[in-house]
């Protein structure tokens, strides 16, 4: 078992709670967990360690929302996501641990900035077929890259689904299938790059029950709290986490 302080374990436990809540209630909130894990563990190791916990959360999300996925959207995104995954794997192969940490911070800040810009948009024109293809290419590639490098594709893909005006259940169902497929596809890359370590697996064994418990709690409270307030808390904490990693 890694020799971690009580404070470090508290941060990892908080991250595991966020993962469970994000999978059950708010896709994209897991960026907080990304910052917490990267602040405690070596940046590359944190990517592999958190990936397995995200897959556990994906299993819960599939169970809860499996019937509501838009399969055509998933197929439209697939080619660009593969390109992004490969680009992210190449970056990880050559980047230093400090470089990965900075990239995680920059990615988090960028997705927060774009999210805030998107929320301020008052009107949207109806996109045409070409716009759909362009959006799928851009968001899919960025989503693949960010999820491979930092497990931080939640806000990126959430904006894509919001732009597509998905109903709530279709949003949650498509997100659940998207991340389940992508995260499993990342496993060979992560194993080959040495991101999944013996120490990381031991940490995961301790935190898996926390993720599962938080997922059940998240599903229960999803309809009982203000989404607006929760989103604001997520954005603020993500910014602080990104600035901590950057500086």
């Amino acid at each position: 078992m890694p020799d971690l302080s009580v404070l470090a374990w508290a941060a990892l436990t908080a991250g595991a709670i966020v993962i469970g809540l994000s999978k059950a209630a708010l896709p994209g909130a897991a960026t907080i967990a990304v910052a917490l894990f990267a602040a405690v563990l070596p940046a590359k190791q944190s990517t592999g360690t958190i990936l397995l916990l995200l897959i556990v959360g994906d299993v819960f999300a599939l169970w809860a929302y499996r019937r509501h996925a838009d399969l055509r959207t998933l197929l439209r995104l697939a080619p660009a996501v593969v390109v992004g995954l490969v680009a992210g794997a190449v970056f990880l192969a050559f980047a230093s641990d400090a470089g990965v940490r900075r990239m995680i911070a920059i990615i988090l800040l960028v997705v927060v900035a774009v999210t805030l810009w998107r929320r301020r948009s008052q009107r949207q024109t109806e996109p045409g077929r070409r716009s759909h293809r362009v959006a799928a290419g851009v968001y899919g590639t960025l989503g693949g890259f960010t999820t491979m490098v930092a497990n931080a594709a939640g806000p990126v893909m959430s904006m894509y689904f919001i732009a597509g005006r998905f109903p709530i259940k279709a949003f949650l169902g498509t997100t659940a299938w998207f991340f389940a497929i992508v995260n499993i596809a990342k496993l060979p890359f992560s194993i080959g790059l040495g991101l999944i370590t013996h120490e990381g697996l031991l940490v995961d064994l301790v935190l898996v029950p926390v993720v599962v418990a938080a997922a059940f709690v998240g599903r229960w409270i999803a309809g009982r709290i203000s989404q607006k307030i929760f989103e604001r808390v997520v954005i603020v904490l993500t910014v602080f986490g990104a600035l901590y990693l950057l500086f």
Side-chain angles (χ1 to χ4, degrees), residues 34-234:
V34 171
L36 289 170
F37 272 67
V40 172
L41 302 174
K44 290 187 178 181
Q45 183 185 357
S46 75
T47 300
T49 302
I50 199 173
L51 173 60
L52 298 178
L53 296 178
L54 291 171
I55 291 175
V56 171
D58 291 331
V59 172
F60 180 91
L62 285 177
W63 169 73
Y65 307 114
R66 63 191 180 280
R67 300 180 184 275
H68 304 288
D70 186 331
L71 296 180
R72 287 187 300 175
T73 296
L74 294 175
L75 291 174
R76 187 185 301 126
L77 287 166
V81 172
V82 171
V83 172
L85 286 173
V86 173
V90 172
F91 174 81
L92 284 173
F94 293 98
S96 66
D97 212 52
V100 172
R101 187 182 297 272
R102 292 191 193 96
M103 178 59 72
I104 292 174
I106 292 170
I107 288 171
L108 295 182
L109 290 174
V110 169
V111 295
V112 167
V114 177
T115 299
L116 292 175
W117 173 82
R118 184 66 186 80
R119 284 160 63 90
R120 288 177 178 273
S121 299
Q122 297 297 318
R123 293 184 179 181
Q124 301 177 35
T125 57
E126 190 66 30
R129 185 174 301 177
R130 174 177 171 79
S131 297
H132 279 301
R133 289 198 299 267
V134 172
V138 172
Y139 281 95
T141 302
L142 185 56
F145 183 83
T146 53
T147 195
M148 187 70 237
V149 172
N151 293 304
V156 177
M157 300 316 301
S158 292
M159 286 185 294
Y160 175 76
F161 295 132
I162 289 173
R165 303 176 186 177
F166 278 54
I168 293 176
K169 287 186 177 180
F171 184 107
L172 294 173
T174 307
T175 300
W177 277 102
F178 175 85
F179 283 108
I181 294 170
V182 168
N183 285 334
I184 291 174
K186 285 158 54 180
L187 274 177
F189 293 100
S190 297
I191 294 172
L193 292 168
L195 304 181
I196 296 178
T197 64
H198 176 71
E199 292 81 3
L201 289 174
L202 292 176
V203 171
D204 286 334
L205 285 177
V206 174
L207 296 178
V208 161
V210 179
V211 173
V212 174
F216 277 102
V217 173
R219 193 182 185 203
W220 182 80
I221 66 175
R224 295 172 172 80
I225 61 174
S226 167
Q227 190 78 4
K228 186 176 181 179
I229 292 176
F230 189 63
E231 288 179 356
R232 287 179 176 176
V233 171
V234 167

